[in-house]
Amino acid sequence: MQLSDLRFLTSAPRVAQLPDDTGSEIVFAGRSNAGKSSAINQLFAQRGLAKVSKQPGRTQAFNVFAFDPSRRVVDLPGYGYAKVPDSVQRRWGQEIPAYFAERQSLAGVVLIMDVRHPFRESDNQFLALTARHPVVVVLSKADKLSKSQQNQRLGEAERHAVALGIDPESLLLFSAQTGQGREGLQSLIMEWLEFDQPNVEREAEE
Ligand code: GDP
């Protein structure tokens, strides 16, 4: 089993329509245009995987991908995207908090932010929902900045994180274009989804 084995499973408009709440699941979120689809495609070594989530009708839904029945990746619609009817927006405004309150299999949250515009109000509102769960804040499009600018932005973002009660160690610089940050994030995802990792000692066979 490897990260490139991820396949689209289903689009669920409501929590009640999600696959059974067993095994482990991680969720990707972020403001529209933060670089979420690019990150997903890069992390799982597939072109166009997250394009599925952008198809009409799948925009305000939990887009579920799976490795096997007990390991899933959920792609949430980018927030700040207003081109949906009010009734759909209202429903979604109830489903998202319900998901984070109820989902037992949720093992980790990958929150994508553009490194140049992190911790916007909508990000902070989102983070308030995920307080019970492990979170990694992925500062994307790092290639758009020089190394010294990256470090400056990272330092600022770490201070924001601390102010919000988030461990500053959970921030990482990332670029879907250069692959910066990819391995660290992949290894965290594999840990959350309980993959065997080559450098992790396997339990002794019985
Ligand atoms: P989403 O709306 O969050 O899924 O964002 P996308 O992945 O569609 O990316 C939005 C825009 O940012 C696109 O034009 C991407 O090509 C660009 N983009 C995404 N990630 C990166 C990155 O790491 N580096 C650069 N330079 N551009 C990126």
Side-chain angles (χ1 to χ4, degrees), residues 35-62:
K36 182 165 57 71
S37 310
S38 306
I40 290 175
N41 290 335
Q42 221 245 15
L43 289 164
F44 302 106
Q46 295 189 26
R47 280 169 188 266
L49 187 67
K51 248 197 232 158
V52 179
S53 305
K54 291 194 170 179
Q55 289 167 8
R58 288 186 169 151
T59 48
Q60 299 302 102
F62 299 92

PDB file of all heavy atoms in Angstrom, residues 35-62:
ATOM      1  N   GLY A  35      -4.278  26.447  -2.617  1.00  0.00           N
ATOM      2  CA  GLY A  35      -3.339  25.474  -3.180  1.00  0.00           C
ATOM      3  C   GLY A  35      -3.641  24.052  -2.734  1.00  0.00           C
ATOM      4  O   GLY A  35      -2.799  23.157  -2.843  1.00  0.00           O
ATOM      5  N   LYS A  36      -4.868  23.821  -2.269  1.00  0.00           N
ATOM      6  CA  LYS A  36      -5.237  22.503  -1.714  1.00  0.00           C
ATOM      7  C   LYS A  36      -5.204  21.403  -2.775  1.00  0.00           C
ATOM      8  O   LYS A  36      -4.613  20.352  -2.549  1.00  0.00           O
ATOM      9  CB  LYS A  36      -6.628  22.609  -1.066  1.00  0.00           C
ATOM     10  CG  LYS A  36      -7.118  21.328  -0.421  1.00  0.00           C
ATOM     11  CD  LYS A  36      -8.288  21.584   0.502  1.00  0.00           C
ATOM     12  CE  LYS A  36      -9.454  22.253  -0.194  1.00  0.00           C
ATOM     13  NZ  LYS A  36     -10.175  21.389  -1.151  1.00  0.00           N
ATOM     14  N   SER A  37      -5.830  21.669  -3.930  1.00  0.00           N
ATOM     15  CA  SER A  37      -5.851  20.616  -4.969  1.00  0.00           C
ATOM     16  C   SER A  37      -4.443  20.289  -5.432  1.00  0.00           C
ATOM     17  O   SER A  37      -4.098  19.116  -5.622  1.00  0.00           O
ATOM     18  CB  SER A  37      -6.665  21.069  -6.184  1.00  0.00           C
ATOM     19  OG  SER A  37      -7.897  21.557  -5.779  1.00  0.00           O
ATOM     20  N   SER A  38      -3.626  21.317  -5.606  1.00  0.00           N
ATOM     21  CA  SER A  38      -2.246  21.083  -6.048  1.00  0.00           C
ATOM     22  C   SER A  38      -1.497  20.254  -5.013  1.00  0.00           C
ATOM     23  O   SER A  38      -0.717  19.357  -5.366  1.00  0.00           O
ATOM     24  CB  SER A  38      -1.513  22.418  -6.257  1.00  0.00           C
ATOM     25  OG  SER A  38      -2.243  23.234  -7.124  1.00  0.00           O
ATOM     26  N   ALA A  39      -1.725  20.552  -3.733  1.00  0.00           N
ATOM     27  CA  ALA A  39      -1.051  19.799  -2.673  1.00  0.00           C
ATOM     28  C   ALA A  39      -1.505  18.338  -2.683  1.00  0.00           C
ATOM     29  O   ALA A  39      -0.679  17.426  -2.612  1.00  0.00           O
ATOM     30  CB  ALA A  39      -1.334  20.434  -1.309  1.00  0.00           C
ATOM     31  N   ILE A  40      -2.808  18.122  -2.805  1.00  0.00           N
ATOM     32  CA  ILE A  40      -3.330  16.745  -2.807  1.00  0.00           C
ATOM     33  C   ILE A  40      -2.745  15.965  -3.980  1.00  0.00           C
ATOM     34  O   ILE A  40      -2.261  14.838  -3.823  1.00  0.00           O
ATOM     35  CB  ILE A  40      -4.879  16.758  -2.858  1.00  0.00           C
ATOM     36  CG1 ILE A  40      -5.432  17.264  -1.536  1.00  0.00           C
ATOM     37  CG2 ILE A  40      -5.434  15.366  -3.188  1.00  0.00           C
ATOM     38  CD1 ILE A  40      -6.949  17.427  -1.496  1.00  0.00           C
ATOM     39  N   ASN A  41      -2.762  16.578  -5.148  1.00  0.00           N
ATOM     40  CA  ASN A  41      -2.242  15.880  -6.327  1.00  0.00           C
ATOM     41  C   ASN A  41      -0.764  15.554  -6.174  1.00  0.00           C
ATOM     42  O   ASN A  41      -0.302  14.498  -6.603  1.00  0.00           O
ATOM     43  CB  ASN A  41      -2.487  16.719  -7.578  1.00  0.00           C
ATOM     44  CG  ASN A  41      -3.961  16.781  -7.937  1.00  0.00           C
ATOM     45  OD1 ASN A  41      -4.727  15.879  -7.587  1.00  0.00           O
ATOM     46  ND2 ASN A  41      -4.374  17.832  -8.596  1.00  0.00           N
ATOM     47  N   GLN A  42      -0.033  16.458  -5.535  1.00  0.00           N
ATOM     48  CA  GLN A  42       1.394  16.226  -5.374  1.00  0.00           C
ATOM     49  C   GLN A  42       1.692  15.172  -4.311  1.00  0.00           C
ATOM     50  O   GLN A  42       2.514  14.283  -4.510  1.00  0.00           O
ATOM     51  CB  GLN A  42       2.066  17.548  -5.003  1.00  0.00           C
ATOM     52  CG  GLN A  42       3.378  17.741  -5.720  1.00  0.00           C
ATOM     53  CD  GLN A  42       4.523  17.749  -4.774  1.00  0.00           C
ATOM     54  OE1 GLN A  42       4.381  17.336  -3.624  1.00  0.00           O
ATOM     55  NE2 GLN A  42       5.653  18.208  -5.264  1.00  0.00           N
ATOM     56  N   LEU A  43       0.989  15.260  -3.192  1.00  0.00           N
ATOM     57  CA  LEU A  43       1.243  14.329  -2.076  1.00  0.00           C
ATOM     58  C   LEU A  43       0.925  12.889  -2.456  1.00  0.00           C
ATOM     59  O   LEU A  43       1.587  11.961  -2.012  1.00  0.00           O
ATOM     60  CB  LEU A  43       0.382  14.708  -0.866  1.00  0.00           C
ATOM     61  CG  LEU A  43       0.801  15.989  -0.172  1.00  0.00           C
ATOM     62  CD1 LEU A  43      -0.309  16.477   0.741  1.00  0.00           C
ATOM     63  CD2 LEU A  43       2.081  15.768   0.615  1.00  0.00           C
ATOM     64  N   PHE A  44      -0.137  12.722  -3.283  1.00  0.00           N
ATOM     65  CA  PHE A  44      -0.558  11.373  -3.625  1.00  0.00           C
ATOM     66  C   PHE A  44      -0.113  11.000  -5.034  1.00  0.00           C
ATOM     67  O   PHE A  44      -0.622  10.040  -5.620  1.00  0.00           O
ATOM     68  CB  PHE A  44      -2.076  11.233  -3.424  1.00  0.00           C
ATOM     69  CG  PHE A  44      -2.477  11.552  -2.009  1.00  0.00           C
ATOM     70  CD1 PHE A  44      -3.119  12.735  -1.701  1.00  0.00           C
ATOM     71  CD2 PHE A  44      -2.144  10.690  -0.973  1.00  0.00           C
ATOM     72  CE1 PHE A  44      -3.450  13.051  -0.390  1.00  0.00           C
ATOM     73  CE2 PHE A  44      -2.471  10.996   0.340  1.00  0.00           C
ATOM     74  CZ  PHE A  44      -3.129  12.181   0.633  1.00  0.00           C
ATOM     75  N   ALA A  45       0.845  11.800  -5.548  1.00  0.00           N
ATOM     76  CA  ALA A  45       1.494  11.505  -6.827  1.00  0.00           C
ATOM     77  C   ALA A  45       0.513  11.213  -7.947  1.00  0.00           C
ATOM     78  O   ALA A  45       0.653  10.236  -8.667  1.00  0.00           O
ATOM     79  CB  ALA A  45       2.482  10.346  -6.647  1.00  0.00           C
ATOM     80  N   GLN A  46      -0.517  12.034  -8.038  1.00  0.00           N
ATOM     81  CA  GLN A  46      -1.497  11.822  -9.097  1.00  0.00           C
ATOM     82  C   GLN A  46      -1.907  13.159  -9.680  1.00  0.00           C
ATOM     83  O   GLN A  46      -2.196  14.089  -8.934  1.00  0.00           O
ATOM     84  CB  GLN A  46      -2.748  11.148  -8.534  1.00  0.00           C
ATOM     85  CG  GLN A  46      -2.454   9.765  -8.040  1.00  0.00           C
ATOM     86  CD  GLN A  46      -3.712   9.012  -7.697  1.00  0.00           C
ATOM     87  OE1 GLN A  46      -4.772   9.277  -8.225  1.00  0.00           O
ATOM     88  NE2 GLN A  46      -3.569   8.066  -6.811  1.00  0.00           N
ATOM     89  N   ARG A  47      -1.973  13.213 -10.971  1.00  0.00           N
ATOM     90  CA  ARG A  47      -2.475  14.420 -11.621  1.00  0.00           C
ATOM     91  C   ARG A  47      -3.991  14.351 -11.646  1.00  0.00           C
ATOM     92  O   ARG A  47      -4.555  13.357 -12.064  1.00  0.00           O
ATOM     93  CB  ARG A  47      -1.985  14.509 -13.064  1.00  0.00           C
ATOM     94  CG  ARG A  47      -0.587  15.014 -13.162  1.00  0.00           C
ATOM     95  CD  ARG A  47      -0.085  14.817 -14.584  1.00  0.00           C
ATOM     96  NE  ARG A  47       1.325  15.141 -14.617  1.00  0.00           N
ATOM     97  CZ  ARG A  47       1.769  16.345 -14.942  1.00  0.00           C
ATOM     98  NH1 ARG A  47       0.953  17.297 -15.291  1.00  0.00           N
ATOM     99  NH2 ARG A  47       3.069  16.590 -14.941  1.00  0.00           N
ATOM    100  N   GLY A  48      -4.624  15.421 -11.196  1.00  0.00           N
ATOM    101  CA  GLY A  48      -6.066  15.512 -11.415  1.00  0.00           C
ATOM    102  C   GLY A  48      -6.933  14.791 -10.410  1.00  0.00           C
ATOM    103  O   GLY A  48      -8.147  14.772 -10.556  1.00  0.00           O
ATOM    104  N   LEU A  49      -6.330  14.219  -9.372  1.00  0.00           N
ATOM    105  CA  LEU A  49      -7.143  13.521  -8.368  1.00  0.00           C
ATOM    106  C   LEU A  49      -8.158  14.482  -7.739  1.00  0.00           C
ATOM    107  O   LEU A  49      -9.349  14.198  -7.683  1.00  0.00           O
ATOM    108  CB  LEU A  49      -6.235  12.945  -7.279  1.00  0.00           C
ATOM    109  CG  LEU A  49      -6.878  12.048  -6.240  1.00  0.00           C
ATOM    110  CD1 LEU A  49      -7.352  10.752  -6.862  1.00  0.00           C
ATOM    111  CD2 LEU A  49      -5.890  11.726  -5.132  1.00  0.00           C
ATOM    112  N   ALA A  50      -7.670  15.633  -7.280  1.00  0.00           N
ATOM    113  CA  ALA A  50      -8.553  16.565  -6.575  1.00  0.00           C
ATOM    114  C   ALA A  50      -9.450  17.346  -7.532  1.00  0.00           C
ATOM    115  O   ALA A  50     -10.354  18.034  -7.093  1.00  0.00           O
ATOM    116  CB  ALA A  50      -7.726  17.524  -5.718  1.00  0.00           C
ATOM    117  N   LYS A  51      -9.206  17.198  -8.818  1.00  0.00           N
ATOM    118  CA  LYS A  51     -10.091  17.854  -9.799  1.00  0.00           C
ATOM    119  C   LYS A  51     -11.517  17.350  -9.625  1.00  0.00           C
ATOM    120  O   LYS A  51     -12.475  18.068  -9.828  1.00  0.00           O
ATOM    121  CB  LYS A  51      -9.628  17.510 -11.219  1.00  0.00           C
ATOM    122  CG  LYS A  51      -9.066  18.676 -11.990  1.00  0.00           C
ATOM    123  CD  LYS A  51      -9.048  18.339 -13.467  1.00  0.00           C
ATOM    124  CE  LYS A  51      -7.660  18.593 -14.025  1.00  0.00           C
ATOM    125  NZ  LYS A  51      -7.408  17.842 -15.244  1.00  0.00           N
ATOM    126  N   VAL A  52     -11.605  16.090  -9.228  1.00  0.00           N
ATOM    127  CA  VAL A  52     -12.911  15.479  -9.000  1.00  0.00           C
ATOM    128  C   VAL A  52     -13.746  16.352  -8.068  1.00  0.00           C
ATOM    129  O   VAL A  52     -14.940  16.555  -8.272  1.00  0.00           O
ATOM    130  CB  VAL A  52     -12.726  14.077  -8.352  1.00  0.00           C
ATOM    131  CG1 VAL A  52     -14.062  13.424  -8.079  1.00  0.00           C
ATOM    132  CG2 VAL A  52     -11.863  13.204  -9.222  1.00  0.00           C
ATOM    133  N   SER A  53     -13.081  16.882  -7.047  1.00  0.00           N
ATOM    134  CA  SER A  53     -13.794  17.673  -6.043  1.00  0.00           C
ATOM    135  C   SER A  53     -14.289  18.995  -6.607  1.00  0.00           C
ATOM    136  O   SER A  53     -15.111  19.655  -5.996  1.00  0.00           O
ATOM    137  CB  SER A  53     -12.889  17.948  -4.855  1.00  0.00           C
ATOM    138  OG  SER A  53     -12.383  16.752  -4.350  1.00  0.00           O
ATOM    139  N   LYS A  54     -13.730  19.415  -7.721  1.00  0.00           N
ATOM    140  CA  LYS A  54     -14.114  20.721  -8.263  1.00  0.00           C
ATOM    141  C   LYS A  54     -15.221  20.605  -9.306  1.00  0.00           C
ATOM    142  O   LYS A  54     -15.663  21.602  -9.847  1.00  0.00           O
ATOM    143  CB  LYS A  54     -12.880  21.418  -8.864  1.00  0.00           C
ATOM    144  CG  LYS A  54     -11.888  21.825  -7.788  1.00  0.00           C
ATOM    145  CD  LYS A  54     -10.832  22.796  -8.279  1.00  0.00           C
ATOM    146  CE  LYS A  54     -10.027  23.350  -7.104  1.00  0.00           C
ATOM    147  NZ  LYS A  54      -8.980  24.268  -7.532  1.00  0.00           N
ATOM    148  N   GLN A  55     -15.658  19.381  -9.571  1.00  0.00           N
ATOM    149  CA  GLN A  55     -16.725  19.223 -10.552  1.00  0.00           C
ATOM    150  C   GLN A  55     -18.033  19.777  -9.997  1.00  0.00           C
ATOM    151  O   GLN A  55     -18.301  19.655  -8.805  1.00  0.00           O
ATOM    152  CB  GLN A  55     -16.904  17.732 -10.899  1.00  0.00           C
ATOM    153  CG  GLN A  55     -15.755  17.191 -11.713  1.00  0.00           C
ATOM    154  CD  GLN A  55     -15.756  15.665 -11.785  1.00  0.00           C
ATOM    155  OE1 GLN A  55     -16.700  15.016 -11.355  1.00  0.00           O
ATOM    156  NE2 GLN A  55     -14.686  15.113 -12.308  1.00  0.00           N
ATOM    157  N   PRO A  56     -18.886  20.380 -10.877  1.00  0.00           N
ATOM    158  CA  PRO A  56     -20.152  20.930 -10.403  1.00  0.00           C
ATOM    159  C   PRO A  56     -20.957  19.866  -9.670  1.00  0.00           C
ATOM    160  O   PRO A  56     -20.968  18.713 -10.073  1.00  0.00           O
ATOM    161  CB  PRO A  56     -20.875  21.339 -11.702  1.00  0.00           C
ATOM    162  CG  PRO A  56     -19.805  21.444 -12.728  1.00  0.00           C
ATOM    163  CD  PRO A  56     -18.698  20.519 -12.317  1.00  0.00           C
ATOM    164  N   GLY A  57     -21.601  20.258  -8.597  1.00  0.00           N
ATOM    165  CA  GLY A  57     -22.400  19.298  -7.834  1.00  0.00           C
ATOM    166  C   GLY A  57     -21.603  18.646  -6.719  1.00  0.00           C
ATOM    167  O   GLY A  57     -22.160  18.053  -5.811  1.00  0.00           O
ATOM    168  N   ARG A  58     -20.303  18.738  -6.820  1.00  0.00           N
ATOM    169  CA  ARG A  58     -19.481  18.134  -5.767  1.00  0.00           C
ATOM    170  C   ARG A  58     -18.823  19.218  -4.931  1.00  0.00           C
ATOM    171  O   ARG A  58     -17.954  18.940  -4.118  1.00  0.00           O
ATOM    172  CB  ARG A  58     -18.399  17.247  -6.386  1.00  0.00           C
ATOM    173  CG  ARG A  58     -19.001  15.987  -6.940  1.00  0.00           C
ATOM    174  CD  ARG A  58     -17.965  15.023  -7.430  1.00  0.00           C
ATOM    175  NE  ARG A  58     -18.586  13.746  -7.694  1.00  0.00           N
ATOM    176  CZ  ARG A  58     -18.158  12.896  -8.597  1.00  0.00           C
ATOM    177  NH1 ARG A  58     -17.097  13.176  -9.337  1.00  0.00           N
ATOM    178  NH2 ARG A  58     -18.764  11.749  -8.773  1.00  0.00           N
ATOM    179  N   THR A  59     -19.233  20.466  -5.172  1.00  0.00           N
ATOM    180  CA  THR A  59     -18.511  21.558  -4.524  1.00  0.00           C
ATOM    181  C   THR A  59     -18.817  21.658  -3.033  1.00  0.00           C
ATOM    182  O   THR A  59     -17.920  21.888  -2.251  1.00  0.00           O
ATOM    183  CB  THR A  59     -18.787  22.897  -5.218  1.00  0.00           C
ATOM    184  OG1 THR A  59     -20.194  23.012  -5.390  1.00  0.00           O
ATOM    185  CG2 THR A  59     -18.089  22.976  -6.547  1.00  0.00           C
ATOM    186  N   GLN A  60     -20.083  21.491  -2.628  1.00  0.00           N
ATOM    187  CA  GLN A  60     -20.407  21.592  -1.204  1.00  0.00           C
ATOM    188  C   GLN A  60     -20.685  20.195  -0.667  1.00  0.00           C
ATOM    189  O   GLN A  60     -21.801  19.873  -0.279  1.00  0.00           O
ATOM    190  CB  GLN A  60     -21.604  22.518  -0.971  1.00  0.00           C
ATOM    191  CG  GLN A  60     -21.380  23.932  -1.442  1.00  0.00           C
ATOM    192  CD  GLN A  60     -20.189  24.615  -0.786  1.00  0.00           C
ATOM    193  OE1 GLN A  60     -19.127  24.736  -1.375  1.00  0.00           O
ATOM    194  NE2 GLN A  60     -20.336  25.066   0.436  1.00  0.00           N
ATOM    195  N   ALA A  61     -19.671  19.377  -0.697  1.00  0.00           N
ATOM    196  CA  ALA A  61     -19.836  17.991  -0.253  1.00  0.00           C
ATOM    197  C   ALA A  61     -18.507  17.493   0.308  1.00  0.00           C
ATOM    198  O   ALA A  61     -17.459  18.089   0.054  1.00  0.00           O
ATOM    199  CB  ALA A  61     -20.259  17.122  -1.436  1.00  0.00           C
ATOM    200  N   PHE A  62     -18.593  16.412   1.067  1.00  0.00           N
ATOM    201  CA  PHE A  62     -17.382  15.727   1.524  1.00  0.00           C
ATOM    202  C   PHE A  62     -16.941  14.840   0.364  1.00  0.00           C
ATOM    203  O   PHE A  62     -17.646  13.888   0.014  1.00  0.00           O
ATOM    204  CB  PHE A  62     -17.698  14.855   2.739  1.00  0.00           C
ATOM    205  CG  PHE A  62     -18.217  15.625   3.924  1.00  0.00           C
ATOM    206  CD1 PHE A  62     -19.581  15.806   4.115  1.00  0.00           C
ATOM    207  CD2 PHE A  62     -17.340  16.185   4.843  1.00  0.00           C
ATOM    208  CE1 PHE A  62     -20.071  16.516   5.214  1.00  0.00           C
ATOM    209  CE2 PHE A  62     -17.814  16.902   5.934  1.00  0.00           C
ATOM    210  CZ  PHE A  62     -19.184  17.069   6.119  1.00  0.00           C
TER     211      PHE A  62
END
